[in-house]
Amino acid sequence: MSRIALITGATSGIGRATAIAFAKVGINLILCGRRQERLEELASFLSSQVKTTTLLFDVSNKEAVFSAIESLPEPWRAIDILVNNAGNAHGLSSIQEGSLEDWDAMIDGNVQGLLYVSKAVITGMVARSRGHIINLSSVAGKQTYANGAVYCASKKAVEAISEGMRLDLTQHGIKVTNVAPGAVETEFSLVRFKGDEERAAKVYEGFEPLLAEDIADAILYAVSAPARVTIADMTIYASAQSAPTTIYRK
Ligand code: 8X3
């Protein structure tokens, strides 16, 4: 079988766009997410191009992560590419007003979840002496902004984990790419603002935000580079954006 990628959060946004981009170049797909119907719809949509399989689990559920990934039959177990895409922002509040539930959801999903999935996949990559891990960080991991302390902290953790992974895994033939997108118009703001469509739409008003496909293109570039090349870090802003909260709107 040609290369196999496992993508978390594959049902929407950057995860879904990455799955579509990978399918175009013949990378077989293990699509992971929490929404069964969407997973199956995507798997069947892409199955004319590549082999697909789905795994239904929440990255923050440790047991579910390990039992899902360990349940993969051969030849799916030989994962070449892991895209740690699952993650979200919950709320945009000052540290004195932030909700503990939101904080737990961000630390559990963006940090613990990424670690659990990585642990479940890295063992096999080390044994095979090859692999490529793509971690979805954010410009929020480069620069903290007001009302975003915990989200930014979760993404700074991703930045540190990417660096640590690269230090530990390079000797095992495993590449690590950290991708930090700016404003991408996906369900991101809708989730952050708990379904408030008006507030979510305002985030992308007056400028052209990035598309999920733009980030997928960058990820595809990283996994298509020659064996001698590691794309270590990519920070990707919308053209109208120069810092996480500095956006030139018309
Ligand atoms: C998403 C980008 O700037 O809203 O991670 O934090 S930002």
Side-chain angles (χ1 to χ4, degrees):
M1 192 143 88
S2 42
R3 283 198 292 178
I4 297 171
L6 184 149
I7 304 175
T8 65
T11 54
S12 62
I14 295 169
R16 184 182 158 89
T18 302
I20 293 168
F22 280 7
K24 283 193 185 129
V25 298
I27 298 173
N28 300 301
L29 298 165
I30 303 166
L31 304 166
C32 308
R34 293 174 298 176
R35 292 173 285 191
Q36 174 104 43
E37 233 171 75
R38 286 210 198 185
L39 275 179
E40 274 164 17
E41 174 269 326
L42 182 62
S44 85
F45 171 56
L46 298 175
S47 62
S48 61
Q49 295 169 267
V50 288
K51 294 193 177 68
T52 60
T53 190
T54 63
L55 290 178
L56 186 73
F57 64 85
D58 182 336
V59 294
S60 64
N61 181 332
K62 198 189 297 178
E63 286 74 32
V65 167
F66 285 91
S67 83
I69 294 174
E70 282 162 12
S71 79
L72 283 167
E74 296 291 350
W76 286 109
R77 301 177 77 87
I79 297 163
D80 300 289
I81 302 164
L82 165 62
V83 183
N84 274 318
N85 165 71
N88 272 313
H90 297 276
L92 184 65
S93 301
S94 63
I95 198 79
Q96 62 274 26
E97 282 166 358
S99 110
L100 291 178
E101 289 72 31
D102 284 347
W103 295 357
D104 284 347
M106 291 187 279
I107 300 298
D108 291 354
N110 303 359
V111 185
Q112 314 253 60
L114 181 145
L115 288 170
Y116 299 154
V117 174
S118 300
K119 177 84 172 159
V121 172
I122 284 171
T123 308
M125 286 183 169
V126 169
R128 291 184 295 279
S129 298
R130 71 194 174 95
H132 193 158
I133 301 171
I134 313 283
N135 290 329
L136 267 297
S137 175
S138 164
V139 293
K142 308 282 183 191
Q143 200 177 319
T144 306
Y145 48 82
N147 301 313
V150 178
Y151 178 67
C152 295
S154 76
K155 292 300 185 178
K156 281 190 191 285
V158 174
E159 299 275 316
I161 293 164
S162 291
E163 281 178 14
M165 282 180 170
R166 197 173 307 110
L167 288 164
D168 295 341
L169 298 175
T170 298
Q171 64 191 312
H172 295 286
I174 299 168
K175 298 182 186 183
V176 179
T177 301
N178 186 78
V179 184
V184 187
E185 189 164 16
T186 60
E187 290 171 12
F188 176 85
S189 292
L190 200 59
V191 173
R192 168 171 261 175
F193 300 128
K194 304 174 197 307
D196 183 337
E197 288 180 17
E198 212 173 302
R199 200 170 168 204
K202 278 213 159 53
V203 173
Y204 310 108
E205 247 170 43
F207 76 107
E208 199 176 348
L210 292 162
L211 302 177
E213 289 75 11
D214 300 325
I215 308 305
D217 277 352
I219 294 170
L220 183 61
Y221 169 69
V223 304
S224 307
R228 64 180 177 277
V229 177
T230 289
I231 306 297
D233 268 293
M234 290 193 279
T235 300
I236 306 167
Y237 278 117
S239 303
Q241 186 178 24
S242 52
T245 56
T246 306
I247 297 177
Y248 295 87
R249 299 176 198 264
K250 293 214 173 91

Coordinates of all heavy atoms in Angstrom, one line a residue, residues 89 137-141 145 151-152 155 181-184 188-189 192 203-204 237 241 243-245, ligand 1:
A89 N -10.9 26.2 20.2 CA -10.9 27.2 21.2 C -12.3 27.2 21.8 O -13.3 27.0 21.1 CB -10.6 28.6 20.6
S137 N -0.6 23.8 15.4 CA -0.5 24.8 16.4 C -1.3 26.0 16.0 O -2.4 25.8 15.4 CB 1.0 25.2 16.6 OG 1.1 26.3 17.6
S138 N -0.9 27.2 16.3 CA -1.7 28.4 15.9 C -0.7 29.6 16.1 O 0.2 29.5 16.8 CB -2.8 28.6 16.8 OG -3.4 29.9 16.8
V139 N -1.1 30.7 15.4 CA -0.3 31.9 15.8 C -0.5 32.3 17.2 O 0.3 33.0 17.8 CB -0.7 33.1 14.8 CG1 -0.2 32.8 13.4 CG2 -2.2 33.5 14.9
A140 N -1.6 31.8 17.8 CA -1.8 32.0 19.3 C -0.7 31.3 20.1 O -0.6 31.6 21.3 CB -3.2 31.4 19.6
G141 N 0.0 30.3 19.5 CA 1.1 29.7 20.2 C 2.4 30.5 20.0 O 3.4 30.2 20.7
Y145 N -2.6 36.7 23.3 CA -3.5 37.8 23.2 C -4.5 37.9 24.3 O -4.8 36.9 25.0 CB -4.2 37.9 21.8 CG -4.9 36.6 21.4 CD1 -6.2 36.3 21.8 CD2 -4.3 35.8 20.4 CE1 -6.8 35.1 21.4 CE2 -4.9 34.6 20.0 CZ -6.2 34.3 20.5 OH -6.8 33.2 20.0
Y151 N -6.3 29.4 25.8 CA -6.1 28.9 24.4 C -4.7 29.0 23.9 O -4.1 28.1 23.4 CB -7.1 29.6 23.4 CG -6.9 29.1 22.0 CD1 -7.3 27.8 21.7 CD2 -6.4 30.0 21.0 CE1 -7.1 27.4 20.4 CE2 -6.2 29.5 19.7 CZ -6.5 28.2 19.4 OH -6.4 27.8 18.1
C152 N -4.1 30.2 24.2 CA -2.8 30.5 23.7 C -1.8 29.6 24.5 O -0.8 29.1 23.9 CB -2.4 32.0 24.0 SG -3.4 33.1 23.0
K155 N -1.7 26.2 22.8 CA -1.0 26.2 21.6 C 0.5 26.4 21.8 O 1.3 25.9 21.1 CB -1.6 27.3 20.6 CG -3.0 26.9 20.1 CD -3.0 25.5 19.4 CE -4.3 25.2 18.8 NZ -4.3 23.9 18.1
P181 N -1.3 28.4 11.9 CA -2.2 29.2 11.1 C -2.7 30.4 11.9 O -2.9 30.3 13.1 CB -3.3 28.3 10.7 CG -3.0 26.9 11.2 CD -2.0 27.1 12.3
G182 N -2.9 31.5 11.1 CA -3.7 32.7 11.6 C -5.2 32.5 11.4 O -5.7 31.4 11.7
A183 N -5.8 33.5 11.0 CA -7.3 33.5 10.9 C -7.7 32.6 9.7 O -7.6 33.0 8.5 CB -7.8 34.9 10.7
V184 N -8.3 31.5 9.9 CA -8.8 30.6 8.9 C -10.3 30.5 9.1 O -10.7 30.2 10.2 CB -8.2 29.1 9.1 CG1 -8.6 28.3 7.9 CG2 -6.7 29.2 9.2
F188 N -14.1 27.1 13.5 CA -13.3 27.5 14.7 C -14.0 28.6 15.5 O -14.2 28.4 16.8 CB -11.9 28.0 14.2 CG -11.1 28.6 15.3 CD1 -10.3 27.7 16.0 CD2 -11.0 29.9 15.6 CE1 -9.5 28.2 17.1 CE2 -10.2 30.4 16.6 CZ -9.4 29.5 17.4
S189 N -14.4 29.7 14.9 CA -15.0 30.8 15.7 C -16.4 30.4 16.2 O -16.9 30.8 17.3 CB -15.1 32.1 14.9 OG -13.7 32.5 14.8
R192 N -15.7 28.5 19.2 CA -15.2 29.3 20.2 C -16.4 30.1 20.9 O -16.5 30.3 22.1 CB -14.2 30.3 19.7 CG -13.8 31.4 20.6 CD -12.7 32.3 20.1 NE -11.5 31.9 20.8 CZ -10.2 32.3 20.6 NH1 -10.0 33.2 19.6 NH2 -9.2 31.9 21.3
V203 N -15.6 37.8 13.1 CA -14.2 37.6 13.1 C -13.5 37.7 11.7 O -12.4 38.1 11.6 CB -13.9 36.2 13.7 CG1 -12.4 35.8 13.6 CG2 -14.4 36.1 15.2
Y204 N -14.3 37.3 10.7 CA -13.8 37.3 9.3 C -14.3 38.4 8.5 O -14.2 38.3 7.2 CB -14.1 35.9 8.7 CG -13.7 34.7 9.7 CD1 -14.7 34.0 10.3 CD2 -12.4 34.5 9.9 CE1 -14.3 33.0 11.2 CE2 -12.0 33.4 10.8 CZ -13.0 32.7 11.4 OH -12.6 31.7 12.3
Y237 N -0.2 33.4 7.9 CA -1.2 34.5 8.1 C -2.0 34.7 6.9 O -1.6 34.5 5.8 CB -0.5 35.8 8.5 CG -0.1 35.9 9.9 CD1 1.2 36.0 10.3 CD2 -1.1 35.9 11.0 CE1 1.6 36.2 11.6 CE2 -0.7 36.1 12.3 CZ 0.6 36.2 12.6 OH 1.0 36.3 13.9
Q241 N -3.4 40.1 7.7 CA -3.1 39.9 9.2 C -1.6 40.0 9.4 O -0.9 39.4 8.7 CB -3.7 38.5 9.6 CG -3.6 38.2 11.1 CD -4.2 36.9 11.4 OE1 -4.3 36.0 10.6 NE2 -4.7 36.7 12.6
A243 N -0.5 40.0 13.0 CA -0.3 39.4 14.3 C -1.7 38.8 14.7 O -2.7 39.2 14.0 CB 0.1 40.5 15.3
P244 N -1.7 38.0 15.7 CA -3.0 37.3 16.0 C -4.2 38.3 16.0 O -5.2 38.0 15.5 CB -2.8 36.6 17.3 CG -1.3 36.3 17.3 CD -0.7 37.5 16.6
T245 N -4.1 39.4 16.6 CA -5.2 40.3 16.7 C -5.0 41.6 15.9 O -5.7 42.6 16.1 CB -5.5 40.6 18.2 OG1 -4.4 41.2 18.8 CG2 -6.0 39.4 19.0
Ligands
8X3_1 C1 -6.6 30.4 15.5 C2 -6.0 31.7 15.3 O1 -5.6 34.1 16.1 O2 -7.8 33.1 16.5 O3 -5.8 29.5 16.3 O4 -6.0 32.4 17.8 S1 -6.4 32.9 16.5

